[in-house]
Coordinates of all heavy atoms in Angstrom, one line a residue:
M1 N -53.9 19.7 -56.4 CA -54.3 20.3 -55.1 C -53.3 21.3 -54.7 O -52.5 21.0 -53.8 CB -54.5 19.2 -54.1 CG -55.6 18.2 -54.3 SD -55.6 16.8 -53.1 CE -54.3 15.8 -53.8
P2 N -53.2 22.4 -55.4 CA -52.1 23.3 -55.0 C -52.2 23.8 -53.6 O -51.2 24.1 -53.0 CB -52.4 24.5 -56.0 CG -53.3 24.0 -57.1 CD -54.0 22.8 -56.4
E3 N -53.4 23.9 -53.0 CA -53.5 24.4 -51.6 C -52.8 23.5 -50.6 O -52.5 23.9 -49.5 CB -54.9 24.7 -51.3 CG -55.8 23.4 -51.0 CD -56.4 22.9 -52.3 OE1 -56.0 23.3 -53.4 OE2 -57.3 22.0 -52.2
N4 N -52.5 22.2 -51.0 CA -51.9 21.3 -50.1 C -50.4 21.2 -50.3 O -49.7 20.5 -49.5 CB -52.4 19.9 -50.3 CG -53.9 19.8 -49.7 OD1 -54.3 20.6 -48.9 ND2 -54.6 18.8 -50.2
T5 N -49.9 21.9 -51.3 CA -48.5 21.7 -51.7 C -47.5 21.8 -50.5 O -46.5 21.1 -50.5 CB -48.1 22.7 -52.8 OG1 -49.0 22.6 -53.8 CG2 -46.7 22.5 -53.3
N6 N -47.7 22.8 -49.6 CA -46.7 23.0 -48.6 C -47.1 22.5 -47.2 O -46.4 22.8 -46.2 CB -46.4 24.5 -48.5 CG -45.9 25.1 -49.8 OD1 -45.0 24.5 -50.4 ND2 -46.4 26.2 -50.2
R7 N -48.1 21.6 -47.2 CA -48.5 21.2 -45.9 C -47.6 20.0 -45.3 O -47.4 20.0 -44.2 CB -50.0 20.7 -46.0 CG -50.6 20.4 -44.7 CD -52.1 20.1 -44.8 NE -52.9 21.2 -45.3 CZ -54.1 21.1 -45.7 NH1 -54.7 20.0 -45.7 NH2 -54.8 22.2 -46.1
E8 N -47.2 19.1 -46.2 CA -46.5 18.0 -45.7 C -45.0 18.4 -45.5 O -44.4 19.1 -46.3 CB -46.6 16.8 -46.7 CG -48.0 16.2 -46.8 CD -48.9 17.1 -47.7 OE1 -48.3 17.8 -48.6 OE2 -50.1 17.0 -47.6
V9 N -44.4 17.9 -44.5 CA -43.0 18.2 -44.2 C -42.2 16.8 -44.1 O -42.7 15.9 -43.4 CB -42.9 18.9 -42.8 CG1 -41.5 19.2 -42.5 CG2 -43.7 20.2 -42.9
P10 N -41.1 16.7 -44.8 CA -40.4 15.5 -44.7 C -39.8 15.3 -43.3 O -39.2 16.3 -42.7 CB -39.3 15.7 -45.8 CG -39.2 17.1 -46.0 CD -40.5 17.7 -45.7
T11 N -39.9 14.2 -42.8 CA -39.5 13.9 -41.4 C -38.1 13.2 -41.3 O -37.6 13.0 -40.2 CB -40.5 13.0 -40.7 OG1 -40.7 11.8 -41.5 CG2 -41.9 13.7 -40.6
G12 N -37.6 12.8 -42.5 CA -36.4 12.0 -42.5 C -36.6 10.5 -42.5 O -35.7 9.8 -42.7
I13 N -37.8 10.1 -42.1 CA -38.2 8.7 -42.1 C -39.1 8.5 -43.3 O -40.0 9.3 -43.6 CB -38.9 8.3 -40.8 CG1 -38.1 8.6 -39.6 CG2 -39.3 6.8 -40.9 CD1 -36.8 7.9 -39.4
C14 N -38.8 7.4 -44.1 CA -39.5 7.1 -45.3 C -41.0 7.1 -45.1 O -41.5 6.4 -44.2 CB -39.0 5.8 -45.9 SG -39.7 5.4 -47.5
W15 N -41.8 7.8 -45.9 CA -43.2 7.9 -45.8 C -44.0 6.6 -46.3 O -45.2 6.6 -46.2 CB -43.7 9.1 -46.5 CG -43.6 10.4 -45.6 CD1 -42.6 10.7 -44.8 CD2 -44.6 11.4 -45.5 NE1 -42.9 11.9 -44.2 CE2 -44.1 12.3 -44.6 CE3 -45.9 11.6 -46.0 CZ2 -44.8 13.5 -44.2 CZ3 -46.6 12.7 -45.6 CH2 -46.1 13.6 -44.7
C16 N -43.3 5.7 -46.9 CA -43.9 4.5 -47.4 C -44.3 3.6 -46.2 O -45.2 2.7 -46.4 CB -43.1 3.7 -48.4 SG -42.0 2.5 -47.6
G17 N -43.7 3.8 -45.1 CA -44.1 3.0 -43.9 C -43.0 2.0 -43.6 O -43.2 1.1 -42.7
C18 N -41.9 2.0 -44.3 CA -40.9 0.9 -44.1 C -40.1 1.3 -42.9 O -39.3 0.4 -42.4 CB -40.0 0.8 -45.3 SG -38.9 2.2 -45.6
R19 N -40.3 2.5 -42.3 CA -39.6 2.9 -41.1 C -38.1 3.1 -41.2 O -37.4 3.2 -40.2 CB -39.9 1.9 -39.9 CG -41.4 1.8 -39.6 CD -41.6 0.8 -38.5 NE -42.9 0.3 -38.4 CZ -43.9 1.0 -37.8 NH1 -43.7 2.1 -37.2 NH2 -45.2 0.5 -37.8
K20 N -37.6 3.1 -42.4 CA -36.2 3.3 -42.6 C -35.9 4.8 -42.8 O -36.8 5.6 -43.1 CB -35.7 2.5 -43.8 CG -35.7 1.0 -43.6 CD -35.1 0.3 -44.7 CE -35.2 -1.2 -44.4 NZ -35.6 -2.0 -45.5
E21 N -34.6 5.2 -42.6 CA -34.2 6.6 -42.8 C -34.2 7.0 -44.3 O -33.6 6.3 -45.1 CB -32.7 6.7 -42.3 CG -32.5 6.5 -40.8 CD -32.4 7.9 -40.1 OE1 -32.2 8.9 -40.8 OE2 -32.4 7.9 -38.9
A22 N -34.9 8.0 -44.6 CA -34.9 8.5 -46.0 C -33.8 9.6 -46.2 O -33.4 9.8 -47.3 CB -36.3 9.1 -46.3
G23 N -33.4 10.2 -45.1 CA -32.4 11.3 -45.2 C -33.0 12.6 -45.0 O -34.2 12.8 -45.2
I24 N -32.2 13.6 -44.6 CA -32.7 14.9 -44.3 C -33.4 15.5 -45.5 O -32.9 15.5 -46.6 CB -31.5 15.8 -43.9 CG1 -30.6 15.2 -42.8 CG2 -32.0 17.3 -43.5 CD1 -31.1 15.6 -41.4
G25 N -34.6 16.1 -45.2 CA -35.3 16.8 -46.2 C -36.0 15.9 -47.3 O -36.5 16.4 -48.3
R26 N -35.9 14.6 -47.1 CA -36.5 13.6 -48.1 C -37.7 12.9 -47.5 O -37.7 12.6 -46.3 CB -35.5 12.6 -48.5 CG -34.2 13.2 -49.0 CD -33.3 12.2 -49.6 NE -33.9 11.7 -50.8 CZ -33.3 11.5 -51.9 NH1 -32.0 11.8 -52.0 NH2 -33.9 11.1 -53.0
F27 N -38.7 12.7 -48.3 CA -39.9 11.9 -47.9 C -39.6 10.4 -48.1 O -40.2 9.6 -47.3 CB -41.1 12.3 -48.8 CG -41.7 13.6 -48.5 CD1 -41.5 14.7 -49.3 CD2 -42.4 13.8 -47.3 CE1 -42.0 15.9 -49.0 CE2 -43.0 15.1 -47.0 CZ -42.8 16.1 -47.9
F28 N -38.8 10.1 -49.1 CA -38.8 8.6 -49.5 C -37.3 8.2 -49.7 O -36.5 8.9 -50.2 CB -39.6 8.4 -50.8 CG -41.0 8.6 -50.6 CD1 -41.6 9.7 -51.2 CD2 -41.8 7.7 -50.0 CE1 -43.0 10.0 -51.1 CE2 -43.2 7.9 -49.9 CZ -43.8 9.1 -50.4
I29 N -37.1 6.9 -49.4 CA -35.9 6.2 -50.0 C -36.2 6.1 -51.5 O -37.4 5.9 -51.9 CB -35.8 4.8 -49.3 CG1 -35.4 5.0 -47.9 CG2 -34.8 3.9 -50.1 CD1 -35.5 3.7 -47.0
Q30 N -35.2 6.1 -52.3 CA -35.4 6.1 -53.8 C -36.3 4.9 -54.2 O -36.1 3.7 -53.8 CB -34.1 5.9 -54.5 CG -34.3 6.1 -56.0 CD -33.0 6.3 -56.7 OE1 -31.9 6.1 -56.2 NE2 -33.0 6.7 -58.0
G31 N -37.4 5.2 -54.9 CA -38.3 4.1 -55.4 C -39.5 3.9 -54.5 O -40.5 3.3 -54.9
H32 N -39.4 4.3 -53.2 CA -40.4 4.0 -52.3 C -41.7 4.9 -52.5 O -42.7 4.6 -52.0 CB -39.9 4.1 -50.9 CG -39.0 3.0 -50.5 ND1 -38.8 2.6 -49.2 CD2 -38.3 2.1 -51.3 CE1 -37.9 1.5 -49.2 NE2 -37.6 1.3 -50.4
D33 N -41.5 6.0 -53.2 CA -42.6 6.8 -53.6 C -43.6 6.1 -54.5 O -44.8 6.1 -54.3 CB -42.2 8.2 -54.2 CG -41.3 8.0 -55.4 OD1 -40.7 6.9 -55.6 OD2 -41.1 9.0 -56.1
K34 N -43.0 5.3 -55.5 CA -43.9 4.6 -56.4 C -44.5 3.4 -55.6 O -45.6 3.0 -55.9 CB -43.0 4.0 -57.5 CG -42.5 5.1 -58.5 CD -43.7 5.7 -59.3 CE -43.3 6.9 -60.1 NZ -44.4 7.7 -60.5
I35 N -43.7 2.8 -54.7 CA -44.3 1.7 -53.9 C -45.5 2.2 -53.1 O -46.5 1.6 -53.0 CB -43.2 1.1 -53.0 CG1 -42.2 0.4 -53.8 CG2 -43.8 0.2 -51.9 CD1 -40.9 0.0 -53.1
S36 N -45.3 3.4 -52.5 CA -46.4 4.0 -51.7 C -47.7 4.2 -52.6 O -48.8 4.0 -52.1 CB -46.0 5.4 -51.1 OG -44.8 5.2 -50.4
E37 N -47.4 4.7 -53.8 CA -48.5 5.0 -54.7 C -49.3 3.7 -55.0 O -50.5 3.6 -54.9 CB -47.9 5.5 -56.0 CG -48.9 6.2 -56.9 CD -48.1 6.8 -58.1 OE1 -47.0 6.3 -58.5 OE2 -48.7 7.8 -58.7
A38 N -48.6 2.6 -55.3 CA -49.2 1.3 -55.6 C -49.9 0.8 -54.4 O -51.0 0.2 -54.5 CB -48.1 0.4 -56.1
A39 N -49.3 0.9 -53.2 CA -49.9 0.4 -52.0 C -51.2 1.2 -51.6 O -52.2 0.6 -51.2 CB -48.9 0.6 -50.8
L40 N -51.2 2.5 -51.9 CA -52.4 3.3 -51.6 C -53.5 2.8 -52.5 O -54.7 2.7 -52.0 CB -52.1 4.8 -51.8 CG -53.3 5.7 -51.8 CD1 -53.9 5.7 -50.4 CD2 -52.9 7.1 -52.2
I41 N -53.2 2.6 -53.8 CA -54.2 2.2 -54.7 C -54.8 0.8 -54.3 O -56.0 0.6 -54.4 CB -53.7 2.3 -56.2 CG1 -53.4 3.7 -56.6 CG2 -54.7 1.6 -57.1 CD1 -52.5 3.9 -57.7
T42 N -53.9 0.0 -53.9 CA -54.4 -1.3 -53.4 C -55.2 -1.2 -52.1 O -56.3 -1.9 -52.0 CB -53.1 -2.2 -53.1 OG1 -52.4 -2.4 -54.4 CG2 -53.5 -3.6 -52.6
A43 N -54.7 -0.4 -51.2 CA -55.3 -0.4 -49.9 C -56.7 0.4 -49.9 O -57.7 -0.1 -49.3 CB -54.4 0.4 -48.9
D44 N -56.8 1.4 -50.7 CA -58.0 2.3 -50.6 C -58.9 2.2 -51.9 O -60.0 2.7 -51.8 CB -57.6 3.8 -50.4 CG -57.2 4.0 -49.0 OD1 -57.1 3.1 -48.2 OD2 -57.1 5.2 -48.6
Y45 N -58.4 1.6 -53.0 CA -59.1 1.6 -54.2 C -59.2 0.2 -54.9 O -59.4 0.1 -56.1 CB -58.5 2.6 -55.2 CG -58.5 4.0 -54.6 CD1 -57.3 4.5 -54.1 CD2 -59.6 4.8 -54.6 CE1 -57.3 5.8 -53.5 CE2 -59.6 6.1 -54.0 CZ -58.4 6.6 -53.5 OH -58.3 7.8 -53.0
D46 N -59.0 -0.8 -54.1 CA -59.1 -2.2 -54.5 C -58.1 -2.4 -55.7 O -58.4 -3.3 -56.6 CB -60.5 -2.6 -55.0 CG -61.5 -2.6 -53.8 OD1 -61.0 -2.8 -52.7 OD2 -62.6 -2.3 -54.1
G47 N -57.0 -1.7 -55.8 CA -56.1 -1.8 -56.9 C -56.6 -1.3 -58.2 O -56.0 -1.6 -59.2
S48 N -57.7 -0.6 -58.2 CA -58.3 -0.2 -59.4 C -58.1 1.3 -59.7 O -58.6 2.2 -58.9 CB -59.8 -0.4 -59.3 OG -60.5 0.3 -60.3
I49 N -57.4 1.6 -60.8 CA -57.2 3.0 -61.2 C -58.5 3.7 -61.6 O -58.8 4.8 -61.2 CB -56.2 3.2 -62.4 CG1 -54.9 2.5 -62.0 CG2 -56.0 4.6 -62.8 CD1 -54.1 3.3 -60.9
P50 N -59.4 3.0 -62.3 CA -60.7 3.6 -62.6 C -61.5 4.0 -61.3 O -62.1 5.1 -61.2 CB -61.5 2.6 -63.3 CG -60.5 1.8 -64.0 CD -59.3 1.8 -63.0
R51 N -61.4 3.2 -60.2 CA -62.0 3.5 -59.0 C -61.4 4.7 -58.3 O -62.0 5.6 -57.8 CB -61.9 2.3 -58.0 CG -62.7 2.5 -56.7 CD -63.1 1.2 -56.1 NE -63.9 0.5 -56.9 CZ -64.3 -0.8 -56.7 NH1 -63.8 -1.4 -55.7 NH2 -65.1 -1.4 -57.5
L52 N -60.0 4.8 -58.4 CA -59.3 5.9 -57.9 C -59.7 7.2 -58.5 O -60.0 8.2 -57.9 CB -57.8 5.7 -58.1 CG -56.9 6.9 -57.9 CD1 -56.7 7.3 -56.5 CD2 -55.5 6.6 -58.5
L53 N -59.8 7.2 -59.9 CA -60.2 8.3 -60.6 C -61.6 8.8 -60.3 O -61.9 9.9 -60.0 CB -60.1 8.1 -62.1 CG -58.6 7.9 -62.6 CD1 -58.6 7.4 -64.1 CD2 -57.9 9.3 -62.6
A54 N -62.5 7.8 -60.3 CA -64.0 8.1 -60.0 C -64.1 8.7 -58.6 O -64.9 9.6 -58.5 CB -64.8 6.8 -60.2
K55 N -63.4 8.2 -57.6 CA -63.5 8.7 -56.3 C -63.1 10.2 -56.2 O -63.6 10.9 -55.3 CB -62.6 7.9 -55.3 CG -63.2 6.7 -54.8 CD -63.7 6.9 -53.3 CE -64.5 5.8 -52.9 NZ -63.9 4.7 -52.2
H56 N -62.2 10.6 -57.2 CA -61.8 12.0 -57.2 C -62.6 12.8 -58.2 O -62.2 13.9 -58.5 CB -60.3 12.1 -57.4 CG -59.5 11.6 -56.2 ND1 -59.1 12.4 -55.2 CD2 -59.1 10.3 -55.9 CE1 -58.5 11.7 -54.3 NE2 -58.4 10.4 -54.7
G57 N -63.6 12.2 -58.8 CA -64.5 12.9 -59.7 C -64.0 12.9 -61.2 O -64.5 13.7 -62.0
Y58 N -63.0 12.1 -61.5 CA -62.4 12.1 -62.8 C -62.9 10.8 -63.6 O -63.3 9.8 -63.0 CB -60.9 12.1 -62.8 CG -60.3 13.3 -62.2 CD1 -59.7 13.3 -61.0 CD2 -60.5 14.6 -62.8 CE1 -59.2 14.4 -60.4 CE2 -60.0 15.7 -62.2 CZ -59.3 15.7 -61.0 OH -58.9 16.8 -60.4
G59 N -62.8 10.9 -64.9 CA -63.3 9.8 -65.7 C -63.3 10.3 -67.2 O -62.8 11.3 -67.5
P60 N -64.0 9.5 -68.0 CA -64.0 9.9 -69.4 C -64.7 11.2 -69.7 O -64.3 11.9 -70.7 CB -64.9 8.8 -70.1 CG -65.5 8.0 -69.0 CD -64.7 8.2 -67.7
D61 N -65.5 11.7 -68.8 CA -66.2 13.0 -69.0 C -65.6 14.1 -68.2 O -66.0 15.3 -68.3 CB -67.7 12.9 -68.6 CG -68.4 11.8 -69.4 OD1 -68.1 11.7 -70.5 OD2 -69.3 11.2 -68.8
N62 N -64.6 13.9 -67.4 CA -63.9 14.9 -66.6 C -62.4 14.5 -66.6 O -62.0 13.7 -65.8 CB -64.5 15.1 -65.2 CG -63.9 16.2 -64.5 OD1 -63.3 17.2 -65.1 ND2 -63.9 16.2 -63.1
S63 N -61.6 15.1 -67.5 CA -60.3 14.7 -67.7 C -59.3 15.0 -66.6 O -59.1 16.1 -66.2 CB -59.8 15.4 -69.0 OG -58.4 15.1 -69.2
V64 N -58.7 13.9 -66.1 CA -57.7 14.1 -65.0 C -56.4 14.7 -65.7 O -55.7 15.5 -65.0 CB -57.4 12.8 -64.3 CG1 -56.7 11.8 -65.3 CG2 -56.5 13.0 -63.1
R65 N -56.2 14.5 -67.0 CA -55.1 15.1 -67.7 C -55.2 16.6 -67.8 O -54.3 17.3 -67.6 CB -54.9 14.4 -69.1 CG -54.6 12.9 -69.0 CD -54.6 12.3 -70.3 NE -53.4 12.7 -71.1 CZ -52.8 12.0 -72.0 NH1 -53.3 10.8 -72.3 NH2 -51.8 12.5 -72.7
Q66 N -56.5 17.0 -68.1 CA -56.8 18.4 -68.1 C -56.6 19.1 -66.8 O -56.0 20.2 -66.6 CB -58.2 18.7 -68.7 CG -58.5 20.2 -68.9 CD -57.5 20.8 -69.9 OE1 -57.3 20.3 -71.0 NE2 -56.9 21.9 -69.5
A67 N -57.0 18.3 -65.7 CA -56.8 18.9 -64.4 C -55.4 19.1 -64.0 O -55.0 20.1 -63.4 CB -57.5 17.9 -63.4
A68 N -54.5 18.2 -64.5 CA -53.1 18.3 -64.3 C -52.5 19.5 -65.0 O -51.7 20.2 -64.5 CB -52.4 17.0 -64.7
V69 N -53.0 19.7 -66.2 CA -52.6 20.9 -67.0 C -53.1 22.2 -66.3 O -52.3 23.1 -66.2 CB -53.1 20.8 -68.5 CG1 -52.9 22.1 -69.2 CG2 -52.5 19.7 -69.2
D70 N -54.3 22.1 -65.8 CA -54.8 23.3 -65.1 C -54.0 23.7 -63.9 O -54.1 24.9 -63.5 CB -56.3 23.1 -64.7 CG -57.2 23.0 -65.9 OD1 -56.8 23.4 -67.0 OD2 -58.4 22.5 -65.7
T71 N -53.3 22.8 -63.3 CA -52.5 23.2 -62.1 C -51.2 24.0 -62.6 O -50.6 24.7 -61.7 CB -51.9 22.0 -61.3 OG1 -51.0 21.3 -62.2 CG2 -53.0 21.1 -60.9
G72 N -50.9 23.9 -63.9 CA -49.7 24.6 -64.4 C -48.5 23.7 -64.3 O -47.4 24.0 -64.9
A73 N -48.6 22.5 -63.7 CA -47.4 21.6 -63.6 C -47.3 20.8 -64.8 O -46.2 20.3 -65.1 CB -47.6 20.7 -62.3
W74 N -48.4 20.5 -65.5 CA -48.3 19.7 -66.8 C -48.6 20.7 -67.9 O -49.2 21.7 -67.8 CB -49.4 18.6 -66.8 CG -48.9 17.4 -66.2 CD1 -48.0 17.2 -65.2 CD2 -49.5 16.1 -66.5 NE1 -47.9 15.8 -64.9 CE2 -48.8 15.1 -65.7 CE3 -50.4 15.6 -67.4 CZ2 -49.0 13.8 -65.7 CZ3 -50.7 14.2 -67.4 CH2 -50.0 13.3 -66.6
I75 N -48.0 20.3 -69.1 CA -48.3 21.1 -70.3 C -48.8 20.3 -71.4 O -48.8 19.0 -71.3 CB -47.0 21.9 -70.8 CG1 -45.9 20.9 -71.1 CG2 -46.5 22.9 -69.7 CD1 -44.6 21.5 -71.7
E76 N -49.3 20.9 -72.5 CA -49.8 20.2 -73.7 C -48.7 20.2 -74.7 O -47.9 21.1 -74.8 CB -51.1 20.9 -74.2 CG -52.2 20.8 -73.2 CD -53.4 21.8 -73.6 OE1 -53.1 22.9 -74.0 OE2 -54.5 21.3 -73.5
C77 N -48.8 19.1 -75.6 CA -47.9 19.1 -76.7 C -48.1 20.3 -77.6 O -49.2 20.6 -77.9 CB -48.1 17.8 -77.5 SG -47.2 17.7 -79.0
P78 N -47.0 21.0 -78.0 CA -47.2 22.2 -78.8 C -47.7 21.9 -80.2 O -48.1 22.8 -80.9 CB -45.8 22.8 -78.9 CG -44.8 21.7 -78.6 CD -45.6 20.7 -77.7
R79 N -47.7 20.6 -80.7 CA -48.2 20.3 -82.0 C -49.7 20.5 -82.1 O -50.4 19.9 -81.4 CB -47.8 18.9 -82.4 CG -46.3 18.8 -82.8 CD -45.9 19.5 -84.1 NE -46.6 19.0 -85.2 CZ -46.2 18.0 -86.0 NH1 -45.1 17.3 -85.7 NH2 -47.0 17.6 -87.0
E80 N -50.1 21.3 -83.1 CA -51.5 21.5 -83.4 C -52.2 20.1 -83.7 O -51.7 19.4 -84.5 CB -51.7 22.4 -84.6 CG -53.1 22.8 -84.9 CD -53.5 24.1 -84.3 OE1 -52.6 25.0 -84.1 OE2 -54.7 24.3 -84.0
G81 N -53.3 19.8 -83.0 CA -54.0 18.6 -83.2 C -53.6 17.4 -82.4 O -54.2 16.4 -82.4
C82 N -52.5 17.6 -81.6 CA -52.0 16.5 -80.8 C -52.6 16.7 -79.4 O -52.5 17.8 -78.8 CB -50.5 16.5 -80.7 SG -49.9 15.2 -79.6
D83 N -53.1 15.6 -78.8 CA -53.7 15.8 -77.4 C -52.8 15.3 -76.3 O -53.3 15.1 -75.2 CB -55.1 15.2 -77.4 CG -55.1 13.7 -77.6 OD1 -53.9 13.1 -77.8 OD2 -56.1 13.1 -77.7
Y84 N -51.5 15.1 -76.6 CA -50.6 14.6 -75.6 C -50.4 15.7 -74.5 O -50.2 16.8 -74.8 CB -49.3 14.2 -76.2 CG -48.3 13.5 -75.2 CD1 -48.3 12.2 -75.1 CD2 -47.5 14.3 -74.4 CE1 -47.4 11.5 -74.2 CE2 -46.6 13.7 -73.5 CZ -46.6 12.3 -73.4 OH -45.7 11.7 -72.6
T85 N -50.5 15.2 -73.2 CA -50.2 16.1 -72.1 C -49.2 15.4 -71.1 O -49.2 14.2 -71.1 CB -51.4 16.5 -71.3 OG1 -52.1 15.3 -70.9 CG2 -52.4 17.4 -72.1
G86 N -48.5 16.1 -70.4 CA -47.6 15.5 -69.4 C -46.7 16.6 -68.7 O -46.8 17.8 -69.0
A87 N -45.8 16.1 -67.9 CA -44.8 17.0 -67.3 C -43.9 17.5 -68.4 O -43.7 16.9 -69.4 CB -44.0 16.2 -66.3
P88 N -43.4 18.8 -68.2 CA -42.7 19.4 -69.3 C -41.6 18.5 -69.9 O -41.4 18.5 -71.1 CB -42.1 20.7 -68.6 CG -43.1 21.0 -67.5 CD -43.6 19.7 -67.0
A89 N -40.8 17.8 -69.1 CA -39.7 17.0 -69.6 C -40.3 15.9 -70.5 O -39.7 15.5 -71.6 CB -38.9 16.4 -68.5
S90 N -41.4 15.3 -70.1 CA -42.1 14.2 -70.8 C -42.6 14.7 -72.1 O -42.5 14.1 -73.2 CB -43.2 13.7 -69.9 OG -44.0 12.8 -70.7
V91 N -43.2 15.9 -72.1 CA -43.8 16.5 -73.4 C -42.6 16.9 -74.3 O -42.8 16.7 -75.5 CB -44.7 17.7 -73.0 CG1 -45.0 18.5 -74.3 CG2 -45.9 17.3 -72.3
R92 N -41.5 17.4 -73.8 CA -40.4 17.7 -74.7 C -39.9 16.5 -75.4 O -39.7 16.5 -76.6 CB -39.2 18.3 -73.9 CG -39.3 19.9 -73.8 CD -38.0 20.5 -73.3 NE -37.6 20.0 -72.0 CZ -38.1 20.6 -70.9 NH1 -38.9 21.6 -70.9 NH2 -37.7 20.1 -69.7
K93 N -39.8 15.4 -74.7 CA -39.3 14.1 -75.3 C -40.3 13.6 -76.3 O -40.0 13.2 -77.4 CB -39.3 13.1 -74.1 CG -38.2 12.0 -74.2 CD -38.2 11.3 -72.9 CE -37.2 10.1 -72.9 NZ -37.4 9.4 -71.6
H94 N -41.6 13.7 -76.0 CA -42.7 13.3 -76.9 C -42.7 14.1 -78.1 O -42.8 13.6 -79.2 CB -44.0 13.4 -76.1 CG -45.2 13.6 -77.1 ND1 -45.8 12.5 -77.7 CD2 -45.8 14.7 -77.5 CE1 -46.8 13.0 -78.5 NE2 -46.8 14.3 -78.4
A95 N -42.6 15.5 -78.0 CA -42.8 16.4 -79.1 C -41.6 16.3 -80.1 O -41.8 16.7 -81.2 CB -42.9 17.8 -78.6
A96 N -40.5 15.8 -79.6 CA -39.3 15.6 -80.5 C -39.5 14.4 -81.5 O -38.8 14.3 -82.5 CB -38.0 15.4 -79.7
K97 N -40.4 13.6 -81.2 CA -40.7 12.4 -82.0 C -41.7 12.7 -83.1 O -42.5 13.6 -83.0 CB -41.3 11.2 -81.2 CG -40.3 10.7 -80.2 CD -41.0 9.5 -79.4 CE -40.1 9.1 -78.2 NZ -41.0 8.6 -77.1
P98 N -41.6 11.9 -84.2 CA -42.6 12.2 -85.3 C -44.0 11.9 -84.8 O -44.3 11.2 -83.9 CB -42.2 11.2 -86.3 CG -40.9 10.6 -86.0 CD -40.7 10.8 -84.5
H99 N -45.0 12.6 -85.4 CA -46.4 12.4 -85.1 C -47.1 11.9 -86.4 O -47.6 12.6 -87.2 CB -47.0 13.8 -84.8 CG -46.7 14.3 -83.4 ND1 -45.4 14.4 -83.0 CD2 -47.5 14.7 -82.4 CE1 -45.5 14.9 -81.7 NE2 -46.7 15.1 -81.4
P100 N -47.0 10.5 -86.5 CA -47.6 9.9 -87.8 C -49.1 10.3 -88.0 O -49.5 10.6 -89.1 CB -47.5 8.4 -87.5 CG -46.4 8.3 -86.5 CD -46.5 9.5 -85.6
S101 N -49.8 10.5 -86.9 CA -51.3 10.8 -87.0 C -51.4 12.2 -87.6 O -52.5 12.6 -88.1 CB -52.0 10.7 -85.7 OG -51.5 11.6 -84.8
L102 N -50.4 13.0 -87.5 CA -50.4 14.4 -88.0 C -49.7 14.6 -89.3 O -49.5 15.7 -89.8 CB -49.9 15.4 -86.9 CG -50.6 15.4 -85.6 CD1 -49.9 16.4 -84.6 CD2 -52.1 15.7 -85.7
G103 N -49.3 13.4 -89.8 CA -48.6 13.5 -91.2 C -47.1 13.6 -91.2 O -46.5 13.9 -92.2
D104 N -46.5 13.3 -90.0 CA -45.0 13.3 -90.0 C -44.5 12.0 -90.6 O -45.0 11.0 -90.3 CB -44.5 13.4 -88.5 CG -44.6 14.8 -88.0 OD1 -45.0 15.7 -88.8 OD2 -44.1 15.0 -86.9
Ligands
ZN201 ZN1 -39.8 3.2 -47.6
ZN202 ZN1 -47.7 15.6 -79.7

């Protein structure tokens, strides 16, 4: 959702709802972003990732991984025939490993 990128402003109080100080310019105390993610999935999607994906129109026929690549924030593995996608740092780490399925 690139159009939303600049809408949220960090308030200095942790956005997970713990009401603690996150620090100037920060949304979260370290680790509380992941807690928020898990809490949201529990609260709004019955703890179900498939339900979360389906609610946003993603699933086996509409790749959420491709949608992430389409934003420009994720990239594809440079190896021909490999379908790995992820954040650039993740793909670099992945691409440095052998690809047995490609004959490495
Ligand atoms: Zn928190
Ligand atoms: Zn790969």
